[in-house]
Amino acid sequence: MSDATLAPTRARAADTPWRLFLRRFLRHRLAVTGLAVLTVLGLLALLAPVIAPYAFDGQDLEIMGQPQPPSREHLMGTDQLGRDAFTRVLYGARVSLAVGLASALLSTLLGTLVGALAGYYRGVVDSVLMRLTDVVLCIPLLPLVILLSGMLRPNVTLLVAIIGLLGWMGTARLVRGQFLSLREREFVEASRALGGSNNRIMFRHILPNALGPIIVATTLAVGSGIMLESALSFLGLGVQPPTPTWGNLLNYASQWLQSAPWLALFPGLMILITVLSVNFLGDGLRDALDPRS
């Protein structure tokens, strides 16, 4: 066999799963763009105290009374109280992104645990957990979140808990399906024959092979968490002023849509760009983690 024939074989053999994933992901231009945008937004949120030209509740007493349009001193204008809109959008990103990310991680952890137990043990455990999942799925999510938020008047921590504890059902169904399929594979039978415990088999052998769909579901849950937080804050049931979030900035701007539309434009654009970027990233991860691609 010639060296020319052996070269492609060696190249394919050198491809690790990580390299294959990276190559597939980089081919997805929208996903790469989404990752870049989210990275920039995350850095801006983290560095808001350094980047922001003013305090988020600082007021310019000379221009109070009427929102001011964008200018060199105030890149996104000011609100009625003389507060810099650019500063408040930056600080709002800290809360909105944190709520979206933390609630997605919480719902993923809970959904993964429920789905893993149901898919691995099957039988009575599966029936009980899946019927519980069905019951929670039957409850309209937004009205329930609005009810709980209205009763508790949540801070950031409570808001993360409410969104996370009410958003795990899709992940649970997904993980259950993965575990039902993987528990019959040869490597699981081999581990069981060697005396591996149930916990070791579930979380050391099966779970790593189910991480692809879980990662994609987590990514998409971040966008859902941001949207839900924004909706609650817009209705006045989320994080309360003076702490800015993109949602309560929109709530405040709703009374100035005619005379000061820029107050709603910039936080609305941030929500749109973030959710689109998250969805593009999720699509790219799904394609890159699909072994058939």
Side-chain angles (χ1 to χ4, degrees), residues 268-285:
L269 278 177
M270 290 298 102
I271 295 173
L272 175 64
I273 291 171
T274 303
V275 174
L276 278 178
S277 298
V278 168
N279 288 337
F280 289 151
L281 178 59
D283 289 342
L285 289 174

Side-chain angles (χ1 to χ4, degrees), residues 30-86:
L30 286 177
V32 174
T33 303
L35 178 60
V37 170
L38 291 174
T39 301
V40 171
L41 288 175
L43 290 174
L44 289 175
L46 286 174
L47 299 175
V50 178
I51 298 173
Y54 307 97
F56 73 86
D57 56 352
Q59 296 176 277
D60 188 341
L61 300 181
E62 296 181 0
I63 57 175
M64 285 184 60
Q66 181 69 27
Q68 300 297 312
S71 63
R72 292 180 60 183
E73 293 77 16
H74 303 284
L75 297 178
M76 296 182 180
T78 65
D79 62 14
Q80 181 192 13
L81 300 177
R83 297 176 297 189
D84 182 64
F86 175 66

Side-chain angles (χ1 to χ4, degrees), residues 52 55-58 79 83-93 241-246 248-249:
F56 73 86
D57 56 352
D79 62 14
R83 297 176 297 189
D84 182 64
F86 175 66
T87 298
R88 292 179 63 76
V89 167
L90 280 182
Y91 276 89
T243 302
T245 74
W246 289 338
N248 63 30
L249 290 178

Side-chain angles (χ1 to χ4, degrees), residues 123-146:
V124 176
V125 175
D126 183 25
S127 298
V128 171
L129 291 177
M130 286 301 101
R131 296 301 76 75
L132 172 64
T133 303
D134 291 339
V135 169
V136 181
L137 277 172
C138 290
I139 303 173
L141 177 61
L142 185 58
L144 179 60
V145 173
I146 289 175

Side-chain angles (χ1 to χ4, degrees), residues 147-155 158 162 235-240:
L147 175 63
L148 292 175
S149 299
M151 293 171 57
L152 299 175
R153 288 291 176 178
N155 54 26
L158 280 175
I162 290 172
L235 295 173
L237 300 173
V239 178
Q240 298 299 305

